[in-house]
Structures are given as C-alpha cells and as structure tokens.
Amino acid sequence: MPQDTNTPERSENSSSRTTERISTLRLGLLGKWSPWLVLMASLLITCTVWFIVQGEKTKRNRARFDFRVKTIETAISQRLKSYESLLRGGTGLFMASDDVTRTQWRAYVTSLQISQYYPGIQGLGFTRRILPAEKEEHLRQIRAEGFPRYTIKPEGTRSEYTSIIFVEPFDWRNQRAFGYDMFSEPMRNEAMTRARDTGLAAMSGKVILLQETDKDVQAGFLMYLPVYRTGEALQTPEDRRKALRGYVYAAFRMDDFMRGILAEKAEGHVELHIFDGDKPLSETLLYCCEAAAGKIMQPDRHHFASHQSILEYGGHRWLLTFDSSRPFEKNIETGLTNLILLLGVAISLLLFGMVKSLNRSYRQAVTLASMSLELERANAGLREKFEERKRAEEELQHVLQAAEAANKAKSDFLANMSHELRTPLNSIIGFSNVLQEQMAGDLNEKQEEYVNYILTSGKHLLSLINDILDLSKVESGKMELDPSPFLLPEALNGALSMFKEKAMKHGLGLTLEIEPDTDTQIEADKRKLKQILFNLLSNAVKFTPDGGTVRLRAAREGDFFKISVTDTGIGIRQEDIKKLFHAFAQLESPYTKNYEGTGLGLALSKKLVKLHGGKIWVESEAGKGSSFIFTIPARQSVQIEAAQESTEIGQAHQGRIDPMGEPGARLPDSRGGENG
C-alpha cells in the first residue's frame, strides 16, 4: 500500500522535471538563434527595399539608353534616305537631257553644297555603261575633253564596262576613281546589278574606296541609282537591262558618314559598332566608335545595357550593336540606393548586436554549467583510452618477441640444414667428377649424359645451399664483413671476365665504363662485392636476348661509388615490383620460365649491399631493358653516414620507386636473379 501512495508523487516530480528541461531547451535554442533571426529579418527587409528602388532606377536608365539607340537608328535611316534623294535629283538631270555635260554635273553638285549639308559623302558621280563596240569611241571622246591619259581601269576585255566619267568634287582624292570600272569588282557589281534590275536604290557591302590612301584608311560603301534611256519600256528586269545608260552613285567613307550623325545625337551615351551583314565579325566591321576601339570581339567589361538591331536599306543589311558607354554608366545615380543599403545593413547589425548581447549572459551560464560535466566525461574517456593503448602495446610487444623468435628459429634451422646437406652433397659432386673424368672406367654416351646431369644438379643445389646459408647469416646477424682495401677496377674486370665466354656464345656485347675518379682503392669485403656483381651480371646476361648488350658502369659520387649493370633485355613489369628482392621469389613471364632460379640472388645482393651501408634499386621498362644500381661506401668508416643519407641516394632519376618500399629505386621488371 505505501508503494501505491508514493507512485503518483514520483510521477508528478518526473513530469515536472521533464517539463522544466523542455522549457530550458526551448529557451536555449531560442536564445541561440534569436540574434540571427533578427539579423536575417532585418537584412531581408533592407534587400527588398533596395531591390525595389534599384529596379525603378534601372528601368529609367534603360529607357534613357533605349531612347538614344532609337534616336541613332532613326538618324542613320533618315540620312540614307536624304542621300538617296540627292541621287534621285541626279537621275532627274539625266532624264531631262540626253547629253549631260561635265560642266552641268559640276554645277548640280556644287549647288547641293554636300560638304556643308551632307557630311560623309566622299563624292557624287556618274558611271556610264559602255559596250565593247563603243569602247574606242568612248575613250576618244573623253580624251578630247582634256584628259589625254584617260583609260578604263582595270584593263582587260569584258562583256560591258561601267566607267566613272563624272565625280564631284573633282579633287585629288576623287581623281583616283576617275575611269574606274566599278562593275568589274564583285561587291560593287552585286549592288549595281540589283539597282539595274529593280530600278531602286541599292547599297553595296563593305569596300575600300579607291579614294583611300595609306593614311586614315576607312571602310566605305556606295549607293547606286540606275539611269535609263527615256521613252523605253521598263516593265521587266530584261527591259531595264536593255534601257540602262549608267548609274548615279554616291561614295561614302564610313567614319565621316557616322561622325556627323553621332555628333548630333549624343554619341557619348553609347558605344556603337556597325557590321556589314547580320553577323558581328571583325572582317565585316564597318564602323567602331572611338570609345569602343579595340573591344570588338572580346569586350573587356560588363555593360549596363546592350542592344542589337538590323538596319535594312537599299536591299542590304547592317548589324548595329549598341553598348552603354562609360560616361553614361558613370552618370547613373546610385547614391540613394547605396544609402538605403548602407543604412539598412547598419541598422541590421545594430539590432543583431543588441539581441546577441542580451542573450550572451544566458548562454554563458549554460556553458559554464555544462563544462564541468563535459570535463569529467573527457577525463573518463582519456583514462579508458590510455588503458586500451597500454594493453595494445603489451600485446604488440608479445607479438614482436614471438616473431623475432620464429625468425631466429627459421634462420638457425636453415643454417643447420645447410651444413648437414653440404657434406653428402660435396660427396655427390666429388664422385660425379670422378665418373665424369672416367677415372673409374670408361662410360658410354648415355652414362656420360646422366653423370653430367647429376654434376650440374649437384652444383646448382650447392649454390642454393650456400645462398641460403649466407642469407640466414645476414638475417640472424652472424655474417660479418671482412673489409680490406683493393682496386675497384680490378674487381669489376674480374667479375665481367667470368661472363665473356657465355656472352660470346650468345652474341652479347659486354662493356665496362669506369669514370676517371673511380680508378682508385675501395675499402670493402671483396668476396661479397664480387658475389653482388656476379648475381647482377648473371641476371643481365641470362635475361638479355641474343645480340643484346650488357654494360657495367662505375662512377664516384662523394663518399660513395655508384655501380650499375644495364642490359637491353626483357625488362620488368610494374605488377612484379613487390616480388623483386624477396627471397625465393621468381617473376613469371614466358621468357623466365625457360631458366632455372632459386629466387635468392637479388634478395642476398640487397642484404649484402645494405650490410656495407649502401643502397640498391632498379630502373626498368618492360621490353626495353633494366638497370640494377647500387651504391657502396668508399670506406667502411662512412657506413653510418650512408645509413643516414640512404633516402637521398638515387633521387637524381625522376619517378623512382623502391621495390622494398624505400626511396631511391624505380619500377622493376619481370624476372629474378641468377639464383633467383
């Protein structure tokens, strides 16, 4: 019964504590995020107002830009129409008279005062159509007018000619066009043909006027109106071709043409490009205002506004591209919008700081209350990790001791077995020699073959046992060096001479390269150095196809001698890297399967090199040969320095990888040693 009376009390206390924790959590979360909520709300309001004001200003400035663009487009179109009116006046002169003289044409053009009222026109002229039968009479007539050197340019025979006979003002620049056959040039021909067949004004594409010189060269264009003989039918294109007398034309230099228009229409608000056709290509550029010079194909900045439009006139199209100019963009008023943004951000930061300051005391109290608990938990965790690490170290120490004991037992076993096997094996080899020399009697051919097999196998097995014994001595630390001074070249020559007979048999080239500073004494174990050289040279000779080369090279590098054995053999595959220099490891390839090996030669060579305080590595590429390289101290007194600097040996060759996981060697290839 007492339990029944106390249960409701406990439930109420538990519920109260739960409610208090939930309230505290809510207050904590609200206190943590409330400054940021205030900041985001205030910045959102600021950005909204700024975007509204900025949008209105952008619309007004865009309208200003569009107005300037429309003004320039209209001005260009109206200017072209007014120039067409000049040409129509000229055609009226030819319709009123069958024989307009040069004096009459000059009077007509002079009365127009084109330099004052029609800027951009380089010349106003007339080009006459001349058939081949009329050419000689035409030349005689013009020359009789006081132009004895007059001729139709360019020279040549054509189906018809259109020579410029009138052009005003007849100054030095326009005189360059006098006598020019515009129908002979494709761009002008296309516009003239269109004008002739339609009877309407036709505008040419981009040309370089004959009036241009080497200075201030401008792009140009021409406008043509056909002149027909009066009284003839002009209903069809064929009728118009037959009735054609010539063309009244105007030549324009584009920069001069546009300069007058833009001077009147506030050029400074836009950067204008005009292209011949409807594509913005550099080769079709007709006009580029000075503010936009050099920025045709690769604009160097972002413009406030841009616009493109096609102006079609006289059967031809121009592409007009407009970009807002720097003066226009500098005059865009941004002061009010920037002020709104600046004040809004400042007020937002002020509100954020106030709320954060009010909330800081609460968060500090919560932080201090939880720090002691967290520290206690952290200490407990550290103690637990320390105990775990201590146990792991003890287990690792036991494992290392067991591994060391097993390795020593293996080495001792190999050494004992090697000693036990050598005695009977020496007897087998000795008796095989007796039989081979036929000291116990004559042998037939089959018996000699079997005895030779026994002797060869016995020697191979003895070599294996000797290598195993040497390897076990090194691993157990029982092998010691017997260093003595000797001449390094003699040792190299001696090692190389052991393979001369085999090399000659297979047509291999053996070479020895000794640098001048290498012809000196070395302090090392001579027998073990020869054993290293024998293993490396044996591999090189064995795995080099007939006709290849094997090179033995020695050079001095500071306190070390660097010795390399390079062959043109089968090379080593990348996937066989880890097998190289390991005991009893033989690499697999169709070539190596034809040769015997124990897999000990390279492993023993590596250990003997390291025993001297040197390094050994390989550089190889499959199919292109290998270079086995090792360094050995000039004196055993630098052995300690060699161990410290071993990571730097061989770094002169980029991309080396030590097959045993050590720096200084590159990728090896698919083979083992003479005994490996």
Side-chain angles (χ1 to χ4, degrees), residues 179-406:
Y180 178 64
D181 179 7
M182 291 190 284
F183 209 66
S184 65
E185 193 274 317
M187 190 68 72
R188 295 171 171 86
N189 181 295
E190 188 274 334
M192 296 168 76
T193 301
R194 188 166 8 100
R196 178 196 65 191
D197 293 346
T198 62
L200 303 174
M203 196 164 66
S204 76
K206 176 184 177 181
V207 298
I208 299 299
L209 299 177
L210 295 176
Q211 290 89 334
E212 295 295 342
T213 61
D214 294 336
K215 297 181 180 180
D216 187 27
V217 178
Q218 301 180 19
F221 70 97
L222 300 105
M223 185 182 294
Y224 298 93
L225 262 178
V227 176
Y228 303 105
R229 287 187 292 272
T230 57
E232 296 195 21
L234 302 175
Q235 302 300 319
T236 66
E238 184 63 30
D239 293 339
R240 298 186 187 102
R241 294 186 192 117
K242 292 179 180 179
L244 182 68
R245 292 177 61 187
Y247 302 86
V248 174
Y249 78 94
F252 302 90
R253 301 180 79 209
M254 196 64 190
D255 289 357
D256 297 341
F257 174 79
M258 291 301 302
R259 190 172 293 119
I261 296 176
L262 296 181
E264 299 170 3
K265 307 300 178 184
E267 176 190 10
H269 290 83
V270 297
E271 294 176 357
L272 172 62
H273 296 88
I274 301 178
F275 298 90
D276 185 29
D278 51 10
K279 292 184 179 179
L281 305 175
S282 60
E283 58 268 21
T284 63
L285 180 67
L286 274 171
Y287 173 76
C288 173
C289 67
E290 294 181 1
K295 300 181 285 187
I296 301 170
M297 303 304 295
Q298 297 181 344
D300 61 346
R301 64 184 181 89
H302 174 74
H303 295 277
F304 167 77
S306 296
H307 176 77
Q308 286 189 354
S309 62
I310 297 293
L311 176 65
E312 188 165 0
Y313 194 88
H316 199 72
R317 294 160 66 92
W318 283 353
L319 172 65
L320 279 61
T321 66
F322 300 88
D323 296 310
S324 55
S325 65
R326 289 185 184 275
F328 178 86
E329 293 170 357
K330 287 180 180 179
N331 290 331
I332 295 176
E333 296 180 2
T334 58
L336 179 59
T337 55
N338 291 339
L339 181 61
I340 291 173
L341 183 62
L342 182 61
L343 289 176
V345 171
I347 293 172
S348 300
L349 293 175
L350 182 61
L351 291 174
F352 172 77
M354 291 173 61
V355 176
K356 188 172 184 180
S357 177
L358 292 173
N359 192 40
R360 185 176 301 161
S361 59
Y362 172 77
R363 290 189 289 107
Q364 287 178 348
V366 173
T367 302
L368 290 173
S370 60
M371 281 179 63
S372 58
L373 180 61
E374 293 297 331
L375 288 173
E376 185 177 350
R377 290 176 181 173
N379 288 333
L382 289 173
R383 285 195 295 270
E384 183 178 353
K385 289 182 179 179
F386 177 76
E387 294 296 333
E388 290 179 358
R389 182 172 180 179
K390 187 176 180 181
R391 290 193 297 270
E393 288 179 352
E394 291 176 354
E395 292 176 1
L396 180 61
Q397 187 66 26
H398 291 317
V399 170
L400 291 175
Q401 290 175 356
E404 185 178 354

Side-chain angles (χ1 to χ4, degrees), residues 26-163:
R26 287 176 178 173
L27 288 173
L29 291 174
L30 182 61
K32 179 179 180 181
W33 295 106
S34 57
W36 296 101
L37 292 174
V38 171
L39 179 62
M40 286 188 291
S42 180
L43 289 176
L44 180 61
I45 294 172
T46 299
C47 290
T48 302
V49 174
W50 181 82
F51 273 117
I52 293 173
V53 176
Q54 184 71 14
E56 290 299 320
K57 284 193 167 292
T58 300
K59 289 180 181 179
R60 288 198 296 271
N61 289 314
R62 180 70 198 201
R64 288 173 55 213
F65 175 80
D66 292 340
F67 174 76
R68 300 299 179 187
V69 168
K70 194 65 177 178
T71 300
I72 294 174
E73 290 176 341
T74 303
I76 295 174
S77 180
Q78 290 177 348
R79 184 63 58 88
L80 290 172
K81 289 179 180 178
S82 65
Y83 291 161
E84 181 183 347
S85 299
L86 294 182
L87 297 183
R88 293 202 175 275
T91 59
L93 182 63
F94 280 92
M95 291 176 66
S97 173
D98 290 336
D99 187 17
V100 177
T101 66
R102 190 178 309 278
T103 302
Q104 291 172 334
W105 181 257
R106 179 177 296 113
Y108 168 70
V109 175
T110 302
S111 66
L112 297 175
Q113 301 181 36
I114 59 176
S115 61
Q116 182 176 354
Y117 298 107
Y118 301 96
I121 294 183
Q122 176 58 38
L124 200 63
F126 174 72
T127 177
R128 175 179 295 173
R129 182 193 187 196
I130 306 165
L131 297 177
E134 305 168 345
K135 181 179 178 182
E136 292 301 325
E137 176 60 26
H138 169 76
L139 293 174
R140 185 194 62 75
Q141 180 183 351
I142 299 299
R143 289 171 181 172
E145 293 178 4
F147 303 100
R149 300 177 63 183
Y150 169 80
T151 186
I152 298 176
K153 300 172 291 188
E155 298 289 344
T157 303
R158 294 182 284 278
S159 61
E160 62 178 294
Y161 306 88
T162 57
S163 177

Side-chain angles (χ1 to χ4, degrees), residues 566-572 619-627 669:
T566 304
D567 61 66
T568 58
I570 61 175
I572 303 174
E619 298 176 0
S620 180
E621 184 176 351
K624 295 187 178 181
S626 306
S627 289
D669 54 7

Side-chain angles (χ1 to χ4, degrees), residues 405-533:
N407 189 51
K408 187 175 184 304
K410 178 204 71 173
S411 299
D412 291 342
F413 172 76
L414 291 175
N416 292 332
M417 286 299 298
S418 299
H419 281 297
E420 293 298 328
L421 290 172
R422 288 171 82 177
T423 300
L425 188 57
N426 283 326
S427 298
I428 292 173
I429 294 172
F431 284 116
S432 297
N433 278 322
V434 171
L435 291 174
Q436 189 181 45
E437 297 294 333
Q438 299 186 13
M439 297 172 62
D442 295 337
L443 300 176
N444 58 37
E445 183 178 349
K446 200 68 174 179
Q447 289 172 336
E448 287 182 1
E449 181 181 355
Y450 290 157
V451 169
N452 187 51
Y453 286 157
I454 295 172
L455 183 59
T456 302
S457 300
K459 290 181 179 180
H460 178 69
L461 184 56
L462 181 60
S463 174
L464 172 61
I465 291 172
N466 289 333
D467 286 344
I468 292 174
L469 183 60
D470 288 343
L471 195 62
S472 64
K473 286 182 179 180
V474 174
E475 290 182 345
S476 63
K478 294 180 180 179
M479 177 172 283
E480 296 180 357
L481 296 179
D482 183 18
S484 62
F486 58 91
L487 289 175
L488 181 59
E490 292 181 359
L492 298 177
N493 274 303
L496 199 63
S497 63
M498 299 172 64
F499 297 93
K500 286 186 177 179
E501 183 179 352
K502 187 174 183 180
M504 291 177 61
K505 180 179 179 182
H506 293 279
L508 300 180
L510 294 181
T511 60
L512 175 61
E513 297 180 8
I514 301 178
E515 297 294 330
D517 55 357
T518 312
D519 191 9
T520 184
Q521 281 191 340
I522 182 174
E523 182 183 335
D525 191 319
K526 187 174 183 180
R527 188 184 69 82
K528 292 180 176 57
L529 178 59
K530 286 186 176 181
Q531 189 173 0
I532 296 168
L533 293 171

